[in-house]
Amino acid sequence: MKSLQDPVTALRGVGPKMADNLATLNIKTVEDLLTYFPNRYDDFAPTNLETAVDKQKVTVHGTIVSEPMMSRFGYRRTRLAFRLMIGHNVVQVVYFNQPYLKKQVIANHDVTVLGTWNAGRQEIQGTKLLSNNNQQEMGAIYPANKQVHQATLRKLIRVAYNSYSDVIATLLPISFRQRYQLLDRKTMIHDLHFPVDGQAAKMARRTAVYEEFFLFQLRLQAIRRAHRQKDGQQILYNNDELRDFIKTIPFELTRAQKRVVNEICRDLRSPFQMNRLLQGDVGSGKTIVAAIAIYAAVIAGFQTALMAPTEILAAQHAQKLAKVFERTHVNIGLLTGSMNAKQKKMMLQGIKDGSINLIVGTHALIQDQVEYANLGLAIIDEQHRFGVHQRQQLRMKGQWPDVLAMTATPIPRTLAITSYGEMDVSVIDELPAGRQPIKTTWLKGNQSEQALQFLKGQLAQGAQVYVVSPLIEQSETLDVQNATDLYQEFAEYFAPKYQVGLLHGRMDNEQKEQVMKDFNANHLQVLVSTTVIEVGVDNPNASVMLIYDADRFGLAQLHQLRGRVGRGKRQSYCLLVADPKTEDGVRRMKTMVQTTDGFVVAQRDLELRGSGDVLGSKQSGIPDFKVGDPVADLKILQIARADAGDLINTPGWDEKDENQPLVYYLKRHELTTHFD
Ligand code: ADP
Ligand code: MG
């Protein structure tokens, strides 16, 4: 029985050596070969010469009606001419300096000529000459490499199609195909590789994109359902008690905050394990949302955990939450890697006996020795900083605790749909009222003095300032050196009026914390730093962020850095000093100046870098799509997602005959699919 899952060696002419070569393109099965999509086509659609203008690029199909006439002139220069009949017209065709084409010029043969139209002489100056043995107007061009050449791919795909086309089953349900006028799979594969014209190729691609997204979403949502069916905890808190707590918060929650609190609370009460991503720009107020969820779980009698990526951040959270929970019976414990054995033992004891009901810490929280009494809710802050594996470990602690992952890296809708399809997503898309947008300015390197003058002016008004030193790629030592040099310059420049501090990754935690404390207490007015401050540092009086060589940073990182200011009542500023050497760098600077909206920044980032890079594709599980582009084909992605959801939520869908190819497809991918 032939099957698309047959290895490529099942094809005539493919031996083990060729199979190895094909594997370098990730082609292992016949199906891989048939779904190895061209990234473009040579367009051989004919041009109408009657309407062609001078110097226009043209393609014509015709019959050679003369012998080739070859003349040589100058040093190794040749001119090859012949006459070509196109319909009822005859035109002259000339090729310069391609004498080897002469043997292709045979009277009465059909050819395709690509070239430039010379209207004055009614002549085509040719660039390419193809003998026409089929009427295809489009030639597929595949991504090839050193091991597997273009011509080989073309040949093998033809062979594969000829011997397997009769076993290509259609995967997409008929109802969806009819609704969007999509092709059956056999036609789709045929027209992708051998389209008769541009329209056919376009239709085939449209079907292929939908199919790719649909299958992907079906897999994600199947996984999500499997998760959902797992027993979780029902966290049944007293609603009035929670309301009373919310009343003690000194500000009114934004509409967006209220909405996401509701979404989270609904999950807490449900018997399934929550798996929710909370997205919100820097400063949008995720912490208080987390606090409300924690409080709900605690009054329902559960333990809670909050995991942060660094010790500084964990300590800061513990401090802030202690204040929020001041008059409650939330009992906070801080667990970090740098605690001594005795402290740690006590802490572990408290976690085990349940006397601590909010554990804040770093990834120390997920180590095996940590035994929870009854963990009901686990929250991950800055979740993109944790690996897939660590997040998974937290999900497995205790009795399937509800998990809330928070991120300040706004993920464009596109990526949220693709990579977090198995998570529910809540978005805080609104900043607390009264925040003044940060004013961002881009200065050239020779305007640094201007930046320093500006700093002086702001310092004189009582502001505090961050200075981020240039990033030296792949060398922490040089980064540290840089920051240290810059620190000394600034210390001299601002002495004796203002105090300057230094923060970098090589300092130990105690030193770091001391510097942070001094800065928060305004004992230091200027903080020179490497990107250590990127995450979570919160000093509302700091209102200027000066970033040197800003073009060396990615958009996401620049946005994070900028988010350190604009947290208080002062008008805040971000100064980018940069002389970008690439077009890309210029666009990044312009984006930063144009917008402070994290979602816009993230979308631009995605466009500039491509979806694979934005979150590091391996870690975040963003797949490499073969045909679909989650940015350009967003509409199709959204539709396919909804359709996959509709199908999988239809009771008995997997028993219908017409869906058996899909059921089989899911089974086949069950074991090889891993999304966090
Ligand atoms: P992030 O989303 O970056 O974690 P935080 O939770 O640290 O943001 O909130 C930033 C600041 O805004 C904090 O000082 C917090 O107290 C304050 N804040 C949060 N929500 C509101 C609100 N609805 N109104 C006013 N201030 C708020
Ligand atoms: Mg935060």
Side-chain angles (χ1 to χ4, degrees):
M1 254 294 266
K2 273 191 293 187
S3 146
L4 294 187
Q5 301 316 307
D6 289 348
V8 281
T9 45
L11 295 170
R12 193 161 34 87
V14 180
K17 182 81 189 15
M18 177 58 81
D20 284 348
N21 288 342
L22 287 169
T24 63
L25 292 174
N26 243 333
I27 300 173
K28 300 193 180 86
T29 63
V30 172
E31 180 162 27
D32 292 339
L33 196 54
L34 288 174
T35 56
Y36 192 75
F37 297 116
N39 47 12
R40 61 189 180 87
Y41 298 90
D42 266 342
D43 189 356
F44 301 147
T47 318
N48 180 358
L49 290 183
E50 320 226 315
T51 56
V53 298
D54 194 38
K55 297 212 173 76
Q56 183 180 329
K57 292 255 179 292
V58 295
T59 301
V60 293
H61 304 294
T63 309
I64 296 172
V65 290
S66 75
E67 294 300 318
M69 290 158 285
M70 177 86 120
S71 43
R72 294 178 185 275
F73 57 98
Y75 177 67
R76 282 174 131 188
R77 305 224 288 178
T78 62
R79 176 177 184 275
L80 170 68
F82 59 87
R83 302 182 72 74
L84 185 72
M85 180 148 83
I86 306 160
H88 296 293
N89 299 320
V90 174
V91 298
Q92 169 100 342
V93 180
V94 297
Y95 286 87
F96 287 102
N97 308 322
Q98 298 188 60
Y100 46 85
L101 290 179
K102 187 178 170 200
K103 60 179 185 297
Q104 274 176 259
V105 181
I106 304 163
N108 291 322
H109 273 223
D110 288 344
V111 290
T112 295
V113 169
L114 282 75
T116 314
W117 180 238
N118 184 326
R121 308 171 65 151
Q122 292 286 297
E123 177 180 279
I124 297 172
Q125 186 176 328
T127 49
K128 257 191 194 168
L129 180 62
L130 308 160
S131 21
N132 254 11
N133 33 30
N134 55 50
Q135 277 311 301
Q136 239 172 269
E137 290 175 2
M138 308 284 286
I141 311 279
Y142 300 95
N145 65 13
K146 278 217 176 79
Q147 285 87 17
V148 192
H149 297 282
Q150 194 60 237
T152 313
L153 281 167
R154 281 194 187 156
K155 195 181 79 196
L156 291 180
I157 288 169
R158 177 65 80 174
V159 170
Y161 185 79
N162 288 345
S163 48
Y164 281 83
S165 63
D166 50 336
V167 294
I168 299 176
T170 294
L171 295 170
L172 295 173
I174 180 87
S175 52
F176 295 139
R177 267 191 296 137
Q178 280 175 343
R179 189 182 311 161
Y180 311 118
Q181 296 175 2
L182 302 173
L183 307 173
D184 63 84
R185 196 159 199 244
K186 185 170 155 185
T187 311
M188 169 191 101
I189 287 176
H190 177 276
D191 286 1
L192 270 169
H193 299 296
F194 326 111
V196 293
D197 55 22
Q199 185 57 22
K202 210 164 137 190
M203 293 299 288
R205 185 180 180 277
R206 196 166 150 269
T207 300
V209 171
Y210 180 90
E211 184 193 276
E212 185 172 39
F213 287 156
F214 181 86
L215 293 177
F216 172 70
Q217 285 296 335
L218 197 69
R219 275 152 67 193
L220 275 187
Q221 296 189 36
I223 295 169
R224 178 156 151 188
R225 274 173 74 85
H227 274 318
R228 274 225 165 268
Q229 279 152 11
K230 221 157 259 157
D231 286 335
Q233 322 246 19
Q234 245 179 320
I235 298 181
L236 298 172
Y237 55 87
N238 179 319
N239 216 358
D240 292 334
E241 218 177 319
L242 186 63
R243 253 194 221 126
D244 287 342
F245 168 71
I246 293 175
K247 277 189 205 134
T248 67
I249 298 169
F251 45 74
E252 170 85 10
L253 295 181
T254 62
R255 255 197 341 239
Q257 282 171 319
K258 284 182 192 160
R259 187 183 51 207
V260 305
V261 163
N262 280 333
E263 286 165 356
I264 294 165
C265 284
R266 208 179 315 132
D267 281 359
L268 291 179
R269 303 183 77 95
S270 101
F272 300 119
Q273 184 180 28
M274 167 165 78
N275 189 16
R276 186 172 283 280
L277 179 73
L278 174 58
Q279 265 183 268
D281 209 343
V282 188
S284 62
K286 293 183 293 296
T287 313
I288 197 68
V289 170
I292 293 169
I294 288 168
Y295 193 76
V298 167
I299 58 179
F302 288 92
Q303 249 177 345
T304 58
L306 173 63
M307 184 162 80
T310 66
E311 298 210 352
I312 296 190
L313 201 52
Q316 237 179 62
H317 271 310
Q319 224 172 44
K320 267 203 220 168
L321 289 170
K323 218 159 155 197
V324 173
F325 293 129
E326 216 168 3
R327 276 180 291 275
T328 69
H329 61 279
V330 176
N331 187 16
I332 305 183
L334 180 65
L335 184 69
T336 62
S338 66
M339 289 167 81
N340 68 34
K342 199 172 145 205
Q343 291 171 306
K344 201 167 191 171
K345 201 169 154 213
M346 259 178 55
M347 198 54 69
L348 289 176
Q349 184 54 40
I351 296 171
K352 195 171 169 185
D353 66 25
S355 57
I356 296 173
N357 49 22
L358 167 57
I359 304 104
V360 180
T362 55
H363 54 269
L365 292 190
I366 46 176
Q367 275 153 12
D368 284 339
Q369 18 158 309
V370 186
E371 276 179 70
Y372 295 89
N374 62 343
L375 185 62
L377 169 67
I379 298 179
I380 309 173
D381 194 21
E382 308 290 348
Q383 65 98 29
H384 60 284
R385 296 231 154 191
F386 291 99
V388 167
H389 191 60
Q390 291 169 313
R391 279 181 265 161
Q392 197 59 23
Q393 268 177 305
L394 195 55
R395 288 175 56 79
M396 315 255 278
K397 278 280 178 196
Q399 291 296 307
W400 304 104
D402 283 338
V403 174
L404 180 68
M406 308 200 290
T407 181
T409 305
I411 299 155
R413 256 193 80 63
T414 349
L415 288 191
I417 289 180
T418 51
S419 59
Y420 296 107
E422 90 299 2
M423 281 176 129
D424 296 297
V425 179
S426 290
V427 183
I428 308 183
D429 50 6
E430 172 185 17
L431 292 179
R435 293 271 169 83
Q436 304 184 51
I438 301 161
K439 290 188 180 156
T440 304
T441 315
W442 169 22
L443 300 169
K444 298 290 168 57
N446 59 15
Q447 296 172 297
S448 320
E449 186 53 36
Q450 221 168 299
L452 291 182
Q453 288 305 328
F454 182 79
L455 251 54
K456 267 193 177 159
Q458 290 295 310
L459 286 164
Q461 292 173 34
Q464 285 176 278
V465 171
Y466 293 104
V467 178
V468 176
S469 67
L471 177 79
I472 309 271
E473 240 135 324
Q474 269 136 22
S475 169
E476 204 198 334
T477 317
L478 286 180
D479 275 351
V480 169
Q481 188 57 47
N482 246 326
T484 311
D485 291 349
L486 199 63
Y487 158 73
Q488 269 153 7
E489 271 176 50
F490 271 74
E492 267 172 49
Y493 187 87
F494 288 116
K497 211 160 169 194
Y498 304 111
Q499 301 304 309
V500 180
L502 173 66
L503 193 65
H504 63 65
R506 289 277 169 89
M507 291 161 59
D508 65 37
N509 284 319
E510 237 165 85
Q511 288 175 304
K512 278 189 215 165
E513 256 166 64
Q514 191 54 49
V515 173
M516 295 304 308
K517 250 189 215 148
D518 289 344
F519 187 63
N520 285 340
N522 205 354
H523 296 149
L524 298 171
Q525 288 74 46
V526 179
L527 185 60
V528 174
S529 160
T530 57
T531 51
V532 193
I533 54 163
E534 186 194 341
V535 167
V537 174
D538 190 11
N539 175 355
N541 191 48
S543 59
V544 183
M545 168 65 66
L546 169 60
I547 306 174
Y548 281 107
D549 280 355
D551 57 314
R552 300 225 181 164
F553 297 95
L555 270 178
Q557 210 173 8
L558 287 172
H559 183 69
Q560 286 286 319
L561 286 170
R562 179 167 61 183
R564 295 309 112 207
V565 297
R567 307 191 142 229
K569 293 193 182 62
R570 256 172 218 292
Q571 172 63 53
S572 290
Y573 301 90
C574 175
L575 306 180
L576 307 169
V577 178
D579 300 304
K581 284 165 199 71
T582 62
E583 190 59 27
D584 212 79
V586 171
R587 260 180 284 174
R588 268 179 280 139
M589 295 307 105
K590 287 190 174 160
T591 301
M592 288 298 290
V593 171
Q594 279 162 7
T595 184
T596 51
D597 182 333
F599 285 90
V600 176
V601 172
Q603 183 64 37
R604 203 67 64 81
D605 198 23
L606 182 65
E607 288 159 11
L608 285 177
R609 288 199 289 155
S611 57
D613 278 354
V614 170
L615 300 172
S617 66
K618 283 279 152 351
Q619 264 221 339
S620 59
I622 295 168
D624 278 332
F625 291 109
K626 288 191 192 174
V627 257
D629 174 343
V631 180
D633 303 315
L634 177 60
K635 267 250 170 61
I636 304 182
L637 178 57
Q638 287 169 328
I639 291 169
R641 173 184 161 93
D643 290 345
D646 285 350
L647 180 69
I648 212 168
N649 290 321
T650 307
W653 76 275
D654 52 349
E655 278 152 27
K656 277 201 197 155
D657 280 348
E658 76 150 333
N659 293 329
Q660 288 320 300
L662 280 179
V663 173
Y664 175 64
Y665 171 87
L666 276 182
K667 281 220 177 89
R668 221 160 20 79
H669 283 87
E670 212 165 42
L671 297 175
T672 53
T673 309
H674 178 83
F675 301 103
D676 175 37

